[in-house]
């Protein structure tokens, strides 16, 4: 019985000590809990305190990061005179909104171009020519057009042709001719040697009617560049500075057009490119 009384007394004292223990709040500055519950110091808990120098090695770096050294780019930018253009944009890179006047000008220009277009293509500028009657049997063209420019490239003189021919010319110019001599020196004009003409092939008596007599052909003898230079087929074909470009666009024409003749075809075409859309049983004829 004495043993039971001593045990109960010990449990009662333990309960009193536990209920009297202060409540520890959550730490405010660090997530690591105190080393001893209740916030007691190590000395109070019976643990001998160790000096900080003994815990951290003498060569331990400072916990605060060091400042990065100033780069050469920052120094160069700071040394620039204030009157010079800044190295970075001062304002936003977002483009300004188009004004109503600018939008109206664009729409007006597009409407003007559409009014001057033919063959249902805004890039083909000209006027309707209607049906053309030939003076020789086999000549003539239906629903012909008189073309002034294609894809912004002017013709040296308006040329009469069918819409099929005009579309082939526009495709060739926009895809291959305009930048053939360099993007910084574009082709701005085609020198037209012949358009619609009611005649026989190569003007030979008794020969078949030329495709020119049907509005399905056009002859180009030169290309004018932005700087005013005129590259002629006659001289440029053998000139080292232009021969490569001329041969490339001559070859590229064999696609939009079904017949392509150049300086090496025969003596009749040594000074121009003959281009037509005539259909051949054997396919395209290019030489």
């Amino acid at each position: 019985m004495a043993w039971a009384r001593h045990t109960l007394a010990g449990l009662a004292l333990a309960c009193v000590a536990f209920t009297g223990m202060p409540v520890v709040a959550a730490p405010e500055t660090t997530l690591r809990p105190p080393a001893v519950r209740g916030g007691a110091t190590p000395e109070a808990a019976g643990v001998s305190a160790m000096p900080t120098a003994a815990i951290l090695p003498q060569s331990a770096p400072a916990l605060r990061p060091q400042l990065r050294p100033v780069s050469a780019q920052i120094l160069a930018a700071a040394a620039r005179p204030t009157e010079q253009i800044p190295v970075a944009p001062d304002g936003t890179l977002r483009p300004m909104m188009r004004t109503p006047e600018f939008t109206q000008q664009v729409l007006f220009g597009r409407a003007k171009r559409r009014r001057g277009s033919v063959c249902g293509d805004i890039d083909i500028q000209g006027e309707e020519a209607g049906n053309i009657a030939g003076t020789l049997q086999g000549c003539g063209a239906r629903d012909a057009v008189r073309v002034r420019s294609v894809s912004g490239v002017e013709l040296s003189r308006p040329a009469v042709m069918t819409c099929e021919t005009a579309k082939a010319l526009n495709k060739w110019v926009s895809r291959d001719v305009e930048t053939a001599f360099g993007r910084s020196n574009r082709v701005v004009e085609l020198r037209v040697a012949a358009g619609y003409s009611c005649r026989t092939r190569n003007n030979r008596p008794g020969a078949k009617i030329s495709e020119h007599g049907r509005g399905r052909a056009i002859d180009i003898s030169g290309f004018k560049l932005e700087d005013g230079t005129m590259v002629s087929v006659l001289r440029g074909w053998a000139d080292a500075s232009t021969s490569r470009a001329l041969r490339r666009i001559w070859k590229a024409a064999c696609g939009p057009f079904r017949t392509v003749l150049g300086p090496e075809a025969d003596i009749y075409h040594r000074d121009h490119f003959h281009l037509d859309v005539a259909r051949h049983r054997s396919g395209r004829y290019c030489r």
Side-chain angles (χ1 to χ4, degrees):
M1 293 298 291
W3 175 83
R5 285 196 298 270
H6 285 295
T7 302
L8 291 175
L11 291 174
L13 290 174
C15 291
V16 171
F18 179 79
T19 56
M21 184 179 295
V23 179
V24 180
E28 297 179 356
T29 58
T30 177
L31 296 179
R32 175 176 288 181
V36 179
R37 181 175 297 178
T41 61
E43 290 79 3
V47 181
S48 60
M50 296 180 64
T52 306
I55 299 175
L56 296 176
Q58 296 296 330
S59 59
L63 297 179
R64 188 173 184 178
Q66 297 183 0
L67 295 177
R68 294 181 179 179
V70 180
S71 66
Q73 290 82 358
I74 295 178
L75 293 175
R80 290 173 61 88
T82 56
E83 64 272 9
Q84 290 189 5
I85 301 175
V87 294
D90 291 334
T92 177
L93 293 178
R94 186 175 183 179
M96 298 176 61
M97 297 294 293
R98 292 181 176 179
T99 62
E101 293 77 10
F102 177 80
T103 304
Q104 185 177 5
Q105 184 178 2
V106 171
L107 295 177
F108 176 77
R110 189 172 182 86
K112 184 178 179 181
R113 288 181 60 210
R114 190 170 297 281
R115 285 196 300 270
S117 65
V118 292
C119 301
D121 193 328
I122 195 172
D123 289 331
I124 305 175
Q125 294 290 302
E127 59 187 6
E128 304 290 341
N131 296 332
I132 299 177
T135 56
L136 297 177
Q137 186 177 1
C139 286
R142 297 187 60 182
D143 299 325
V145 292
R146 186 173 287 104
V147 178
R148 296 190 306 269
S149 69
V150 290
S151 292
V153 177
E154 299 289 331
L155 273 60
S156 61
R157 59 185 177 90
V160 175
M161 63 190 78
T162 63
C163 277
E164 183 182 9
T165 310
K167 290 179 179 180
L169 181 65
N170 179 58
K171 184 177 182 179
W172 178 56
V173 168
S174 63
R175 190 180 64 181
D176 304 298
V177 175
E178 189 177 4
T179 58
F181 300 92
R183 294 185 179 276
S184 60
N185 197 15
R186 294 173 177 262
V187 174
V188 295
E189 182 182 283
L190 303 180
R191 179 184 288 178
V192 178
Y196 173 83
S197 177
C198 184
R199 60 176 174 82
T200 59
R201 293 180 182 177
N202 302 320
N203 289 308
R204 292 180 300 175
K208 294 181 179 180
I209 294 296
S210 170
E211 293 302 319
H212 286 280
R214 298 184 174 93
R216 297 192 294 194
I218 185 170
D219 291 348
I220 304 298
S221 61
F223 305 87
K224 185 178 180 180
L225 309 183
E226 280 181 328
D227 63 1
T229 302
M230 177 61 73
V231 180
S232 68
V233 175
L234 179 63
R235 294 186 176 88
W237 191 258
D239 191 327
S241 62
T242 56
S243 175
R244 187 174 181 179
L246 285 174
R247 292 172 186 270
R248 184 169 59 250
I249 59 179
W250 162 79
K251 184 178 181 180
C254 194
F257 294 96
R258 296 184 179 89
T259 304
V260 178
L261 302 176
E264 297 180 5
D266 52 42
I267 193 173
Y268 299 105
H269 300 91
R270 61 188 181 90
D271 62 349
H272 68 275
F273 294 157
H274 169 87
L275 314 168
D276 72 50
V277 293
R279 300 181 180 275
H280 304 284
R281 293 181 180 179
S282 58
R284 286 174 172 79
Y285 183 81
C286 305
R287 56 179 299 183

